[in-house]
């Protein structure tokens, strides 16, 4: 049975019903399209009135503030991805869907978006799980990265523009730690 015809049980309100992966992709795509098209489209793409509807919590000011890009017409998003030592759960899916909707909405508004989501492919949980399973860290993380992609594809979540892995930047992390210490 191909991925697009696989059935999954989805709870909608208090009803359960079977949906195909294609149906789930359509739900996500419809939500993104509805969000993007619900805006006043006769206003120029970078108009402040549209951007006032996106408010982000500023931890320094301890307040929600209107989103204003650092450079006009350009948005750079860095999102912490998952630690790949097990299968994705609903919390992972929620985070991935939310940031997918945000980046699609910003692109729909005409922004040049660079969307980066890292993958943590080395940490204590990963090492512990690899030892428990008797497999290499690379084999374990590779398997769960592929499972993550399969899940996200089934949900219709777009891949980020860049997806750095922690193991590719260990020397840089060590250098930053040395600077801090």
């Amino acid at each position: 049975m191909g991925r697009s015809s696989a059935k999954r049980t989805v709870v909608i309100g208090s009803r359960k019903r079977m949906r195909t992966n294609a149906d789930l992709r359509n739900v996500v795509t419809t939500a993104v399209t509805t969000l993007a098209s619900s805006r006043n489209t006769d206003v120029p793409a970078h108009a402040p009135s549209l951007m006032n509807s996106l408010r982000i919590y500023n931890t320094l000011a301890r307040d929600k503030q209107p989103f204003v890009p650092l450079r006009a017409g350009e948005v750079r998003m860095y999102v912490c991805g998952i630690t790949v030592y097990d299968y994705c759960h609903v919390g992972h899916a929620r985070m991935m869907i939310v940031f997918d909707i945000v980046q699609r909405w910003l692109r729909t508004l005409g922004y040049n978006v660079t969307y980066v989501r890292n993958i943590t492919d080395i940490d204590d949980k990963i090492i512990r799980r690899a030892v428990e399973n008797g497999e290499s860290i690379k084999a374990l993380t590779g398997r769960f990265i592929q499972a993550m992609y399969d899940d996200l594809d089934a949900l219709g979540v777009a891949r980020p523009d860049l997806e750095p892995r922690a193991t590719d930047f260990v020397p840089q992390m060590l250098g930053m730690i040395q600077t801090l210490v």
Side-chain angles (χ1 to χ4, degrees), residues 42-139:
D42 61 348
V43 177
H46 300 95
S49 62
L50 271 180
M51 291 314 298
N52 284 337
S53 62
L54 178 59
R55 299 172 56 78
I56 297 179
Y57 186 77
N58 179 336
T59 54
L60 186 59
R62 296 182 181 192
D63 186 26
K64 284 186 184 177
Q65 298 178 346
F67 171 74
V68 178
L70 295 174
R71 291 187 191 153
E74 181 181 333
V75 176
R76 295 176 291 166
M77 288 177 52
Y78 185 92
V79 176
C80 291
I82 67 169
T83 302
V84 287
Y85 68 97
D86 208 338
Y87 293 103
C88 293
H89 53 69
V90 72
H92 294 137
R94 178 186 173 270
M95 180 271 298
M96 302 284 196
I97 290 169
V98 165
F99 285 110
D100 183 46
I101 290 170
V102 170
Q103 67 90 16
R104 288 180 193 222
W105 184 58
L106 291 168
R107 290 179 201 272
T108 299
L109 291 175
Y111 284 94
N112 179 17
V113 177
T114 303
Y115 176 33
V116 180
R117 182 183 66 216
N118 76 317
I119 293 177
T120 301
D121 60 346
I122 188 72
D123 87 341
D124 293 343
K125 291 178 185 177
I126 292 171
I127 295 167
R128 192 174 312 119
R129 182 66 53 89
V131 169
E132 288 170 4
N133 292 352
E135 65 184 318
S136 71
I137 291 169
K138 190 169 186 134

